[in-house]
Amino acid sequence: MLPLFLLPSSADEWRDWLVDDAPKVAGVVLAIIVLKLVSRPIIGHTLRGAARSTARLSGDPIASVERRVRTIEGTLSWLVTLIAGFIGAAIVLDTLGLNVAPLVAGVGIVGIAIGLGAQTLIKDVINGIFILVEDQYAVGDQVTLAGVTGEVLEVNPRRTLVRDGEGNTHSIPNSTITTATNRTASLQRLHVVVEVAFRDASEAARLAHEVSAAIADERRGDVLAPPTVRGYQIVADGDARLDILGDARPKVRWEIEGELRRRLRRRFEEAKLEARFPMGSEK
C-alpha cells in the first residue's frame, strides 16, 4: 500500500496504486456524495410524516409545522454531511497507508490549542442548539435578530441566514443573538378597535359578531381564527371600547382587517350607531 507522503515514481507503482487504492478512495468519495444527496430527502420525508401526525393530535397549523420541519431538516442534513466527511477522511487516510491512530492523538493535542481560539464557534453551536431545541424561530418566520429584521432562510447550529426587506441576505452567528424577536405571530394577528356609546355596546358587539362570522366564512382559507369581540371596557366620555381579535395569514392580514373595518362601518351606519375606529384607518 502506498504511503500518503510518497507519490508513485514509476509506471508500475502508478498501476499498483490505481488497482489497489484508487477504487477504494473513489468509492468513499462517491459514498459521501450519495449520502449528502439522499440524506436530506429521507430526513425530510420522515420528519414530515411525524410532524403531520403531531399536528393532527395537537391542532397546530400545518404551515407552522412545515416551517419547523424545514428548519430541523436543514440542521440534520448539515450534521450528517459533517460526520460523513470526518469518517470518510479517516477511511481515505487509512487506505492511503497513513496510520490514523497517531494522527487522531495528534489532532487531539492540536485541537486543544485550536479550541482556545475557537471559543466563538463553540458559543455559536451551543446557542444554535438551544435555538433549535426551544423552537425560538424557524425557516420562513419573520424575525428581528442582532438588529436585522427579515425572513429566516436557513438555521443551523453555527449561524442563521436572514433576508431583509431590501433583499439583502445576512449571515448572523448564533453567538451574537442575545434577543430573538419572532414577529410571525403578530403579523397574522387581526386587531380592530371600535368605540361606541356605552348604551350601544351590546348591540355593537352583536353586529360585530355577525360581520366577523361572514368574513370568516367567505375567507376560510385565509382566516385562521375567526375575529371575535373580546369584551369591552369604558374609555373617555363614558364610551365603550370593543376589541375585535382574530388571526389571518400574514400576506392577507391587512386586506382582511381593512375589509372588516369597512363592513363594520357600513353595518353600524345601517343600524344608526355612531362608531369610531381609533386604531388604523379605513382602507
Side-chain angles (χ1 to χ4, degrees), residues 137 143-150 152 160 162 172 176-177 179-182:
Y137 52 81
V143 299
T144 298
L145 308 174
V148 177
T149 298
V152 177
T160 299
V162 176
I172 305 173
T176 65
I177 302 173
T179 302
T181 303
N182 193 329

Side-chain angles (χ1 to χ4, degrees), residues 195-207 232 240 242 268 271-275:
E195 291 183 0
V196 297
F198 183 77
R199 65 177 180 277
D200 298 327
S202 297
E203 178 66 10
R206 185 184 68 81
L207 296 176
Y232 53 84
L242 282 68
F268 288 159
K272 309 299 183 187
L273 297 182
E274 294 186 4

Side-chain angles (χ1 to χ4, degrees), residues 63-138:
S64 175
V65 172
E66 284 291 333
R67 285 197 300 271
R68 291 199 295 270
V69 167
R70 288 198 301 271
T71 302
I72 300 174
E73 176 186 355
T75 302
L76 291 180
S77 178
W78 180 82
L79 289 175
V80 167
T81 302
L82 186 64
I83 294 171
F86 278 121
I87 296 175
I91 295 174
V92 169
L93 291 175
D94 183 66
T95 301
L96 293 176
L98 187 66
N99 189 355
V100 180
L103 179 64
V104 172
V107 169
I109 296 173
V110 176
I112 295 175
I114 295 176
L116 295 175
Q119 295 182 21
T120 300
L121 177 61
I122 296 173
K123 291 179 181 177
D124 288 341
V125 173
I126 292 175
N127 203 28
I129 291 173
F130 278 109
I131 289 172
L132 294 167
V133 170
E134 296 173 357
D135 193 26
Q136 297 179 17
Y137 52 81

